[in-house]
Amino acid sequence: MSLTVMDFEVEDIRFPTSEQLDGSDAMNADPDYSAAYVVLRTDGPGGTDGPGREGHGFCFTIGRGNDVMAAAIEALRSHVVGRPAPRTAADLAALYRTLTHDSQLRWLGPEKGVMHMAAGAVVNAAWDLAAGLAGKPVWRFLAEMTPEELVSLVDFRYLTDALTPQEALGILRAAEPGRAERTERLLAEGYPAYTTSPGWLGYDDDKLVRLAEEAVADGFTQIKLKVGADLGDDVRRLALARRAVGPGIRIAVDANQRWDVAGAVEWMTALAPYDPYWIEEPTSPDDVLGHAAVRAGQPVKVATGEHIANRVVFKQLLQAGAVDFLQIDAARVAGVNENLAVLLLAAKYGVPVCPHAGGVGLCELVQHLSMFDYVAVSGSWEDRVIEYVDHLHEHFADPAVVKDGRYVTPRRPGFSARMLPASIAGHRYPQGPVWQARRTPEETD
Amino acid sequence: MSLTVMDFEVEDIRFPTSEQLDGSDAMNADPDYSAAYVVLRTDGPGGTDGPGREGHGFCFTIGRGNDVMAAAIEALRSHVVGRPAPRTAADLAALYRTLTHDSQLRWLGPEKGVMHMAAGAVVNAAWDLAAGLAGKPVWRFLAEMTPEELVSLVDFRYLTDALTPQEALGILRAAEPGRAERTERLLAEGYPAYTTSPGWLGYDDDKLVRLAEEAVADGFTQIKLKVGADLGDDVRRLALARRAVGPGIRIAVDANQRWDVAGAVEWMTALAPYDPYWIEEPTSPDDVLGHAAVRAGQPVKVATGEHIANRVVFKQLLQAGAVDFLQIDAARVAGVNENLAVLLLAAKYGVPVCPHAGGVGLCELVQHLSMFDYVAVSGSWEDRVIEYVDHLHEHFADPAVVKDGRYVTPRRPGFSARMLPASIAGHRYPQGPVWQARRTPEETD
């Protein structure tokens, strides 16, 4: 059955999370978790939510500017509407290239920032649609492709000094024999998670300790604390958390780009006695050489990636030996295709991928990428964990579920990207009831 | 007199330049030169174009997506309207930080792409306004600030491993004694230029030779050719150009990001016998390590910068010894303030700055930055040239003028950024008459 993408709906959806200081860190004081959301609708049968009828995708933002993201997604409409619904690796490769290679839109990046994230939202919506048509969750849809199909999805431009298509093929072929066994194990055991829920900077000490203890009781073996606003506070909070969880639990810390190189070295040298597992985003996400200097200058392992703009910067972090962990984000780069390039680069360099999640919908998306990586790329979950934050999952039709410290492997078709219609209607900005109820009388006039 | 910014007008202005293949290169096949344009209007006297009444700024794009840029500028409105009109270094530093540090909007970059360019447009409009109020061209307004004021304009976050405020102060103080003499010389002689007009990829051989000969006759000592689509064509075109201009004229070549590292090395090794002066944008603008490898791997000097996202990437290009020339762009980073950081970094590392221009309005803006650099930062124009392309200057109230191969030093107050009202009205997209005349009958229905 040949289907066509007939419609392209863009929504500005925002949640007033800043009211609870959920998500507060040293750089992001008051985020309102938001999604610039896109629905591709085909002429397929099955009602509005039949499989293959719709593909959903989104960019994650933290409030203001979500309208700019929505405008950027809108600018891609003509590349999608009227196109046959993507079903195969070839279709998805072609769409990705069309969206990222538009010779005029490319000027707005190239391949970074608003325009690139918008391409990612549309690419991910296309994957949701294609996997839905195949009746498989995205992780499995990917993991059942041949090595040749997977390589065809990647744009190797600017990568070949670090990874050639032939090398990528070699990595994927080497992982082929174990695919079936790992798929079974994944379905039975799920994928390792860690939790950031205890560690937001806006939480007081009691809440921090209580949530850290709960995390361990819930089966997590790694938690994460936000740091970087005040060294004395960080020492106190890290000591409290260490006392609460004991020596056997990993405590990662996250500075959200707060420091220059010298500051990162100094601060982490002071925190090192409390055995932090990694320091995340010590400095600018653009600073490859800075991350290498931070890694060389202090004893704590270095992680970054949630704000890395594209595969070219990921490539350099690996070439420069700048990081111990790569943190992909499902919605920052140009979707599944570009993240596949990053997974292959990480496998080549032997660096574990521990995705960024949280926000709204990021856990839902990124679990598919790590699970695919386990089955068909790196073939390992050693030293790999997906971030988990227990926020806003109730708004999704196929929410991420974590049990006993592990993501439960999704079985429903698609990318788990679909927000519930009532949640969309309620949180449209500014006209949805959640936002209308917050307007001041002056604004209402 | 205290003035307030009362109004903030955003325009989507496009020129149908793709019809002539002006601006065509190996990556940008059919650009329609465009400006997402902003006007800050104060409550000052003097009619709509009185000095200090308005500040004009813009982002440059090449067509599609100019509406996304306009939406991004619009997202900054609330940070500007109602604010006192900026007059001093302190005012301009505060505005720049407000626009680039908005904790929610920052997520859309950080400091790169659409949102960062939008901040640049507003920052540059504020400089146009402030210099207008001071009755000086921007280059002179800057060159008459104290070293301390200039240092206060820079955001040193993520720079201090390469350049501290104290080092920047030292560079500026060292240049102070010669300021008056260099100002006189600049006013008398203008600033060295080179021309790209002969070299667009869409031009045939006859046009290339004719324009190259004209460039030499007009007094230019450097021209530039686009390369990167076909090696055989590039060898033939470079040989023709070399024959036309003779051995004493510099011929730079520009690949507009076309190659991977190995391709750049191979291609430039083949072109080296024709003595190209520099290879510009051999690969991805994000690839610091790639540029370093290209520089090390072949004999031609390396230049890049027009697509460098921010000061952090410029810093690394210098730290890695990746470039022989830095090519700032007046409208890609966050305006005058961030370009001042780049000029100081370049001075620290002793790398000449040869700005990118052309497009629409880029020559007008960037001349001010190079002239300021000559007077008050590097103190030199040796090995420094500003790009010049003879397109679209007729749309500006104070157009860039090149005579005998040199930019004529601007004397009118402001940033030379002001587009003529008739040009704005004619080229508004899509409602202006230039675009209405191009609509197909279907579109008009």
Side-chain angles (χ1 to χ4, degrees), chain A residues 22 30 75-76 156 174 195 211 213 229 239 241 263 268 278 290 292 316 345 352 374 387 390 398 408:
Chain A
D22 296 340
D30 56 351
L76 298 168
F156 283 90
T195 177
L211 292 175
E213 289 168 348
M268 289 314 300
W278 73 49
Q316 293 175 85
L345 283 163
Y374 170 66
E387 183 168 24
D390 193 7
D398 182 20
V408 176

Side-chain angles (χ1 to χ4, degrees), chain A residues 27 30 64 102-104 106-107 109 112 157-158 160 257 260 286-289 310 315-316 332, chain B residues 27 30 64 102 104 106-107 109 112 157-158 160 257 260 286-289 310 315-316 332:
Chain A
M27 293 292 271
D30 56 351
R64 284 186 293 282
D102 179 304
S103 74
Q104 294 187 349
R106 188 178 181 281
W107 191 270
K112 61 178 66 68
R157 175 168 271 181
Y158 308 137
T160 57
Q257 314 167 26
D260 283 25
D286 302 324
D287 201 347
V288 171
L289 301 178
N310 58 42
K315 175 191 77 166
Q316 293 175 85
R332 167 91 33 199
Chain B
M27 292 292 272
D30 56 351
R64 284 185 295 282
D102 179 303
Q104 294 186 350
R106 188 178 180 279
W107 191 271
K112 62 177 66 67
R157 174 168 272 182
Y158 308 136
T160 57
Q257 314 167 26
D260 284 24
D286 302 323
D287 201 347
V288 171
L289 301 178
N310 58 42
K315 176 190 76 165
Q316 292 176 84
R332 167 84 41 193

Side-chain angles (χ1 to χ4, degrees), chain B residues 22 48 84 91 93-94 133-134 151 179-180 185 190 192 255 280 297 301 336 390 401 433:
Chain B
D22 296 342
T48 53
D91 298 339
L133 284 165
V151 166
R179 282 187 183 188
R185 202 165 161 205
E280 177 171 331
K301 290 179 177 174
V336 170
D390 192 9
V401 175

